Amino acid sequence: MRFANFWLQLVVIFLCLKKHQSTKPANSSYEPGTCGGCSHLTLKVEFSSKVVENEYIVAFNGYFSATARSKFISTALKSTGIEDWRILPRNNPASNYPSDFELIEIKSGQEDGVLTLENHPNIKRVTPQKQVFRSLKFVDSDPLTPCNETKWSQKWQSSRPLRRTSLSLGSGFWHATGRHSSRRLLRAIPRQVAQTLQADVLWQLGYTGSNVKVAVFDTGLSEKHPHFKNVKERTNWTNEKTLDDGLGHGTFVAGVIASMRECQGFAPDSELHIYRVFTNNQVSYTSWFLDAFNYAILKKIDVLNLSIGGPDFMDHPFVDKVWELTANNVIMVSAIGNDGPLYGTLNNPADQMDVIGVGGIDFEDNIARFSSRGMTTWELPGGYGRMKPDIVTYGSGVRGSGMKGGCRSLSGTSVASPVVAGAVTLLVSTVQKREMVNPASMKQALIASARRLPGVNMFEQGHGKLDLLRAYQILNSYKPQASLSPSYVDLTECPYMWPYCSQPIYYGGMPTIVNITILNGMGVTGRIVDKPDWQPYLPHNGDNIEVAFSYSSVLWPWSGYLAISISVAKKAASWEGIAQGHVMITIASPDESELKNGAEQFSTVKLPIKVKIIPTPPRSKRVLWDQYHNLRYPPGYFPRDNLRMKNDPLDWNGDHVHTNFRDMYQHLRSMGYFVEVLGSPFTCFDASQYGTLLMVDSEEEFFPEEISKLRRDVGNGLSLIVFSDWYNTSVMRKVKFYDENTRQWWMPDTGGANIPALNDLLSVWSMAFSDGIYEGDFTMANHDNCFWMLDSLLQYTAYGVMPPSLSHSENRQRPPSGLGVLQPERMEGNHLHRYSKVLEAHLGDPKPRPLPACPHLSWAKPLPLNETAPSNLWKHQKLLSIDLDKVALPNFRQNRPQVRPLSPGESGAWDIPGGIMPGRYNQEVGQTIPVFAFLGAMVVLAFFVVQINKAKSKPKRRKPRVKRPTLIQSFHQTKTPSV
């Protein structure tokens, strides 16, 4: 076997490579030092969620009274023999109204009968109750650093964090972005974010958020806070007897949205509805959110800000309720998370299609390092993630209300979220036809008006930076329609279309999957008429592309997906060039004005496609990445690769070559390799097309058919490189954790990798991994860089050449024989079968499922067009007839009004004089210079004209008369201009 002598390297290379991946700086933040005028505290916020033992959320198919809900549950449990159960009381404002869920407690030992509840016709789903724990930590800054000096703090963490820092406070607000090496402080004062985004222009037009209901789900708000004048309702959904904010987070968020003085909010006249869903001990429960969401629907909330998030997009009751909220016309704005700069770290619910997901930038328009990156991971392993965030805005050093008054500066996507929520609230108040505003139309306006940031890809910035005034223009010219996100696919445009643009396509390669979000501004529900059409441009070689579609059968709520698989036609196997075409898709929605007649309204959208095609590369250069055998949280407990991270035990990001292994992918591309992703079993790829199969950190089991096929493939020339992580059942038992609040043990379902399954796969070559765990640094062949080893192994597997660095090491040691060493075994009692695509439960002993059929793509019939493709696919998306260049805003020259006066003792340096905004001050002063120059020139010209007229009209010398001098003096006084 080609690689039989290299089993030691296979064990070691992953340890080295994962070390390289793990020691990437995960959060580098600029913190101005502390002094008399600076904050001395840094606030860090972390989230985690755990299952509550013996408590279950029973979701119903509709809204029922408390009596009816109790009867449904009692009837369903009679047949199970469960007698020791009770409905847990929920004493909150929603308890007097019908509800669509109930919270029950079933005593220990009777949990097996819980699922039988779902057999009742009125019960939709039964899921465990979850507890959300948020940790707010205040850390002292270095008091010795003067204010005008800078201090950089560097944090190192695993490549896959669990807990999300949703908000990070520093008196400083410039954060590393990873996009440039030099950093400078442009201003020494925090910004008024509302004025920076030109909200004051809309204030002068009379729009201040009036008659718009905005909900803040957070830690509450004190009753007599001086910054707010229109708090309509404060409600408490926790088990504490207070409505006040004991932490300050909720007050800050509310201030960014609606503060009327000091640190100004966007919509000071909006109706604030405060929902206290976190205790002072920073604890919340899924059921609290569900009740509060139901109450928000009942109160007809217009905009809802949720500055929290988590990785668990399989928390079905929560996700379902978010869908229901938006279906009831609630515009939800949510933070995407603070797990940047790592990719694939989006938080829920910001990663949902119907929610506006917000990322963060600093005031220099750099992507904040802490801001989470896309893609979404719902679709893995078979598909590809969607584009998120939707939009980015200021999230570093933003000023907001303090808990008792005054202002403070905080940073994080939790800050960026209320910035967008406040802007949305203000925008809603500008629309005359309020029925035109819905979650889809608002998102369409925001993304169509966003300003794209140069040099940043779409998984970092989404559609770009929030532009409030352009969004105002669009909304006030809006017509209901459908649109796409992204609005075009250009696989040649770098860096925006990374990773698509990083590798051309070729015949025989795995299809490139682009996941498009359909936004339907016409109605909460819709459908795709017939099917999408593929129309290649013949003058641009569009017939060299093959396209297949997968899409939502129903668009609800307000959105759906369109997955496009792009491949190269056989006739282009040796061709190189650019190919273009477009997809046409028609969306239909019920016409609400004529519902009785069953009338529909239609919207047709065009999706341009542009790709670069090259001749099929040689087999030796093609590497296939195995994605199918990777698992990720949710919902199982898969422990981290880095065992030192005891506080964050869950490995919640799925491994992918474009997320946590992005650096390795970039390196492989720079070395000339072509990397393709396999999202199906080994039985579904043609091994003769590839030189190397790359298996990275596999947690999944293997079908017997896969093991047999891989053995044949290796015998026919395919090479295999396995990157494995730790596995040791003794360590796995030690890394279990006990939740004192829920009184439940969490036991890992596998290690960092599934070594017993990998050993089954490798047994045909008499190879195996051990369960030894080592800690420390090492060098091999006098190299301390990990990628040299990857290059050396690929040089051998691709070309059969033994690199000298592997065959002539100065400190070469004999590999262990393995004789008498027992192979690692699967941990007894694990529940891997619950989450596995391979295993299924069978009388307590899991066994392989039937091998699934390989995916089959149905290629769309092309409808060729003999026309020229557009030269530039990226233009600001025009929604129907709206042309932003032709819609002008009023031009205000006078000073913009201050929303509030300075409070006693407040430094004027915190505010911009006269209401002139940062970034616009020099521009407006520059615009007044030509005015003064013109007036000065006119004065000078008038002076010379008067002097010339004076000389021409001067009378000839005559004999003097007594009164003549007086008359001449009077005459000249009327001619002389006054200055």
Side-chain angles (χ1 to χ4, degrees):
M1 305 313 160
R2 176 178 295 181
F3 54 91
N5 295 327
F6 283 176
W7 66 272
L8 180 60
Q9 284 86 341
L10 296 180
V11 176
V12 173
I13 184 173
F14 182 68
L15 298 176
C16 181
L17 186 63
K18 292 294 282 189
K19 177 185 175 228
H20 179 85
Q21 295 285 332
S22 299
T23 57
K24 292 168 57 180
N27 189 7
S28 177
S29 60
Y30 168 86
E31 299 178 0
T34 59
C35 66
C38 302
S39 171
H40 289 249
L41 294 177
T42 297
L43 173 65
K44 298 180 181 179
V45 183
E46 297 180 343
F47 286 95
S48 62
S49 63
K50 297 175 182 178
V51 173
V52 180
E53 188 178 21
N54 300 330
E55 292 187 11
Y56 299 89
I57 295 173
V58 180
F60 299 95
N61 291 322
Y63 285 79
F64 301 97
S65 66
T67 303
R69 300 194 304 267
S70 177
K71 288 182 178 179
F72 294 155
I73 295 174
S74 177
T75 301
L77 290 178
K78 279 183 179 179
S79 59
T80 65
I82 296 178
E83 297 180 355
D84 196 359
W85 66 275
R86 69 187 181 102
I87 294 178
L88 298 177
R90 309 196 315 269
N91 298 318
N92 56 55
S95 59
N96 296 326
Y97 300 93
S99 178
D100 62 342
F101 80 97
E102 195 65 88
L103 182 64
I104 66 172
E105 180 184 40
I106 296 180
K107 293 301 182 181
S108 180
Q110 304 183 84
E111 297 89 345
D112 293 340
V114 169
L115 293 180
T116 59
L117 281 168
E118 296 184 0
N119 295 330
H120 192 282
N122 289 319
I123 294 179
K124 178 181 179 181
R125 184 183 290 118
V126 180
T127 54
Q129 159 87 315
K130 290 196 175 181
Q131 180 191 55
V132 181
F133 182 79
R134 174 164 65 180
S135 172
L136 298 179
K137 300 177 181 178
F138 289 90
V139 182
D140 289 327
S141 301
D142 184 1
L144 301 178
T145 308
C147 275
N148 58 351
E149 294 185 11
T150 62
K151 179 184 73 172
W152 285 91
S153 62
Q154 192 76 30
K155 298 178 183 177
W156 303 87
Q157 67 181 40
S158 164
S159 63
R160 296 185 291 184
L162 165 69
R163 295 191 179 183
R164 280 76 62 210
T165 305
S166 70
L167 187 143
S168 172
L169 162 71
S171 53
F173 48 89
W174 304 112
H175 289 254
T177 65
R179 292 207 296 117
H180 61 285
S181 57
S182 62
R183 298 167 180 84
R184 56 195 179 94
L185 188 62
L186 296 186
R187 294 185 63 92
I189 61 173
R191 312 291 185 88
Q192 290 281 9
V193 67
Q195 291 184 337
T196 303
L197 289 170
Q198 300 176 270
D200 48 350
V201 174
L202 299 183
W203 295 341
Q204 269 201 338
L205 292 174
Y207 304 120
T208 54
S210 58
N211 298 319
V212 181
K213 299 178 181 179
V214 55
V216 176
F217 278 59
D218 220 285
T219 56
L221 178 69
S222 61
E223 183 178 7
K224 297 181 179 180
H225 196 288
H227 287 185
F228 307 98
K229 65 178 180 181
N230 200 15
V231 179
K232 287 295 184 181
E233 187 178 27
R234 297 183 308 144
T235 52
N236 178 36
W237 305 88
T238 72
N239 54 13
E240 294 180 337
K241 305 297 183 180
T242 180
L243 293 166
D244 292 343
D245 184 2
L247 300 172
H249 188 263
T251 303
F252 180 91
V253 170
V256 172
I257 296 173
S259 173
M260 62 175 292
R261 57 173 56 91
E262 293 189 271
C263 26
Q264 303 160 5
F266 283 84
D269 289 328
S270 61
E271 297 182 8
L272 266 179
H273 294 253
I274 304 300
Y275 291 70
R276 189 176 187 269
V277 292
F278 273 95
T279 68
N280 289 333
N281 292 328
Q282 306 160 38
V283 174
S284 185
Y285 291 87
T286 299
S287 61
W288 293 356
F289 276 99
L290 298 183
D291 272 328
F293 284 154
N294 281 340
Y295 194 69
I297 295 173
L298 184 69
K299 289 294 181 177
K300 300 187 182 301
I301 294 297
D302 298 308
V303 181
L304 191 153
N305 180 80
L306 199 61
S307 286
I308 68 167
D312 193 355
F313 54 79
M314 294 190 70
D315 186 0
H316 292 292
F318 189 94
V319 172
D320 288 349
K321 189 56 65 175
V322 170
W323 284 337
E324 186 179 350
L325 270 169
T326 57
N328 280 275
N329 220 32
V330 179
I331 301 172
M332 177 175 280
V333 183
S334 186
I336 64 168
N338 285 5
D339 298 302
L342 299 173
Y343 284 69
T345 54
L346 297 169
N347 282 210
N348 179 264
D351 59 353
Q352 294 185 211
M353 290 184 286
D354 52 323
V355 175
I356 300 173
V358 184
I361 60 174
D362 62 25
F363 281 97
E364 296 180 63
D365 288 353
N366 299 309
I367 299 294
R369 186 177 186 85
F370 57 72
S371 187
S372 290
R373 273 69 165 169
M375 56 184 172
T376 62
T377 56
W378 294 44
E379 299 79 7
L380 299 180
Y384 197 82
R386 290 171 284 108
M387 173 181 173
K388 281 277 182 171
D390 296 302
I391 199 170
V392 293
T393 193
Y394 301 122
S396 293
V398 173
R399 296 185 68 232
S401 300
M403 189 163 61
K404 300 298 183 182
C407 299
R408 67 196 307 190
S409 294
L410 301 183
S411 299
T413 55
S414 295
V415 176
S417 179
V419 169
V420 172
V424 167
T425 303
L426 181 59
L427 287 170
V428 172
S429 70
T430 70
V431 180
Q432 301 300 320
K433 297 182 179 179
R434 191 66 65 84
E435 66 275 6
M436 290 289 188
V437 179
N438 57 57
S441 64
M442 181 58 70
K443 182 185 282 193
Q444 287 173 329
L446 292 178
I447 67 178
S449 60
R451 301 277 184 177
R452 181 176 295 184
L453 302 177
V456 182
N457 70 55
M458 63 183 183
F459 289 137
E460 291 183 323
Q461 68 167 313
H463 291 268
K465 173 188 173 184
L466 170 68
D467 190 321
L468 181 63
L469 296 188
R470 288 170 63 89
Y472 162 77
Q473 292 172 286
I474 288 180
L475 272 179
N476 283 271
S477 304
Y478 179 79
K479 297 178 181 178
Q481 63 200 270
S483 64
L484 304 175
S485 174
S487 59
Y488 70 98
V489 176
D490 186 350
L491 304 192
T492 69
E493 182 189 7
C494 270
Y496 183 71
M497 282 283 174
W498 189 93
Y500 296 110
C501 64
S502 62
Q503 180 170 295
I505 63 175
Y506 42 84
Y507 173 71
M510 291 288 172
T512 297
I513 303 174
V514 184
N515 205 334
I516 306 294
T517 297
I518 304 172
L519 298 173
N520 178 23
M522 298 181 292
V524 65
T525 184
R527 63 183 178 89
I528 295 177
V529 178
D530 296 329
K531 58 183 179 180
D533 291 326
W534 164 237
Q535 299 180 329
Y537 298 138
L538 294 181
H540 297 273
N541 310 296
D543 53 339
N544 288 332
I545 307 175
E546 293 181 332
V547 172
F549 304 111
S550 174
Y551 48 86
S552 303
S553 57
V554 176
L555 307 181
W556 184 91
W558 309 103
S559 58
Y561 72 89
L562 171 65
I564 303 176
S565 299
I566 305 173
S567 191
V568 177
K570 185 176 182 179
K571 67 177 183 178
S574 302
W575 182 78
E576 181 172 2
I578 303 295
Q580 292 183 252
H582 68 244
V583 174
M584 297 293 291
I585 180 172
T586 300
I587 308 299
S589 276
D591 190 340
E592 294 187 1
S593 61
E594 299 185 19
L595 283 178
K596 295 181 179 179
N597 300 328
E600 290 184 313
Q601 47 187 336
F602 299 88
S603 179
T604 300
V605 188
K606 178 189 294 186
L607 180 73
I609 294 179
K610 182 179 181 180
V611 302
K612 180 180 181 181
I613 299 175
I614 62 171
T616 303
R619 178 184 185 184
S620 60
K621 284 289 186 181
R622 296 176 63 180
V623 176
L624 186 62
W625 170 283
D626 173 30
Q627 185 65 40
Y628 185 77
H629 295 94
N630 288 124
L631 297 175
R632 82 251 184 269
Y633 172 89
Y637 174 16
F638 304 110
R640 285 187 174 278
D641 303 334
N642 189 344
L643 291 174
R644 291 178 178 178
M645 302 192 68
K646 299 178 180 179
N647 293 330
D648 298 326
L650 292 178
D651 186 358
W652 64 276
N653 295 321
D655 296 323
H656 194 276
V657 72
H658 295 151
T659 56
N660 56 322
F661 287 98
R662 176 173 178 264
D663 286 350
M664 186 175 71
Y665 169 76
Q666 305 248 81
H667 178 77
L668 290 173
R669 289 294 299 127
S670 69
M671 297 301 295
Y673 293 100
F674 295 87
V675 183
E676 303 173 36
V677 178
L678 176 65
S680 54
F682 291 159
T683 53
C684 298
F685 78 97
D686 181 2
S688 65
Q689 300 291 317
Y690 301 94
T692 305
L693 173 65
L694 214 55
M695 297 181 61
V696 182
D697 199 10
S698 301
E699 297 97 356
E700 181 63 279
E701 296 283 337
F702 298 91
F703 290 103
E705 296 87 343
E706 290 183 291
I707 298 175
S708 300
K709 179 181 183 294
L710 190 59
R711 181 177 184 178
R712 295 193 302 269
D713 291 339
V714 171
N716 292 328
L718 177 70
S719 295
L720 175 67
I721 296 180
V722 179
F723 294 174
S724 177
D725 214 316
W726 69 271
Y727 184 95
N728 184 289
T729 54
S730 298
V731 173
M732 290 164 62
R733 292 187 180 94
K734 292 179 181 179
V735 298
K736 68 180 180 179
F737 62 89
Y738 182 74
D739 178 10
E740 294 181 356
N741 294 312
T742 63
R743 305 177 303 281
Q744 183 181 21
W745 284 101
W746 280 59
M747 186 74 69
D749 293 306
T750 183
N754 192 341
I755 293 300
L758 286 171
N759 286 344
D760 289 346
L761 184 73
L762 299 174
S763 62
V764 295
W765 299 289
S766 300
M767 297 169 58
F769 287 103
S770 74
D771 58 359
I773 296 180
Y774 307 93
E775 182 178 6
D777 300 326
F778 70 92
T779 59
M780 181 178 289
N782 299 321
H783 292 276
D784 56 4
N785 182 295
C786 295
F787 284 142
W788 76 267
M789 185 182 293
L790 175 63
D791 295 339
S792 298
L793 289 175
L794 283 171
Q795 184 178 353
Y796 178 75
T797 61
Y799 306 107
V801 177
M802 174 70 73
S805 58
L806 293 182
S807 58
H808 299 92
S809 175
E810 296 178 2
N811 302 316
R812 189 176 182 87
Q813 299 181 4
R814 265 185 91 83
S817 64
L819 296 176
V821 178
L822 297 177
Q823 292 188 20
E825 296 183 353
R826 293 169 177 82
M827 190 165 70
E828 186 177 353
N830 74 80
H831 301 103
L832 184 63
H833 63 277
R834 294 180 180 177
Y835 326 112
S836 171
K837 302 180 292 294
V838 176
L839 299 178
E840 64 180 354
H842 180 70
L843 300 177
D845 184 18
K847 68 174 185 178
R849 304 172 187 266
L851 181 70
C854 295
H856 174 73
L857 294 176
S858 178
W859 302 107
K861 181 180 180 181
L863 304 174
L865 297 175
N866 191 20
E867 63 181 56
T868 303
S871 58
N872 182 13
L873 298 187
W874 176 63
K875 294 180 179 179
H876 281 296
Q877 185 180 8
K878 295 179 182 179
L879 299 177
L880 292 182
S881 60
I882 299 174
D883 189 344
L884 292 179
D885 297 329
K886 297 179 181 179
V887 181
L889 281 169
N891 194 8
F892 297 103
R893 292 287 175 230
Q894 65 269 31
N895 288 344
R896 297 182 178 118
Q898 290 278 30
V899 172
R900 53 89 192 167
L902 290 176
S903 59
E906 183 184 4
S907 170
W910 290 101
D911 295 280
I912 309 305
I916 299 177
M917 294 168 291
R920 290 177 59 87
Y921 182 81
N922 293 337
Q923 175 185 348
E924 295 199 354
V925 171
Q927 290 173 347
T928 62
I929 290 175
V931 176
F932 285 114
F934 175 75
L935 292 176
M938 292 300 295
V939 171
V940 174
L941 179 62
F943 175 79
F944 281 109
V945 169
V946 169
Q947 293 300 320
I948 292 172
N949 289 337
K950 178 170 124 179
K952 288 182 178 181
S953 61
K954 188 174 183 179
K956 295 181 180 180
R957 187 183 298 271
R958 295 180 182 179
K959 292 181 180 181
R961 291 191 242 180
V962 178
K963 295 184 178 181
R964 184 60 179 169
T966 304
L967 292 173
I968 292 175
Q969 183 180 6
S970 176
F971 175 79
H972 281 291
Q973 285 177 348
T974 60
K975 284 282 190 177
T976 302
S978 60
V979 179

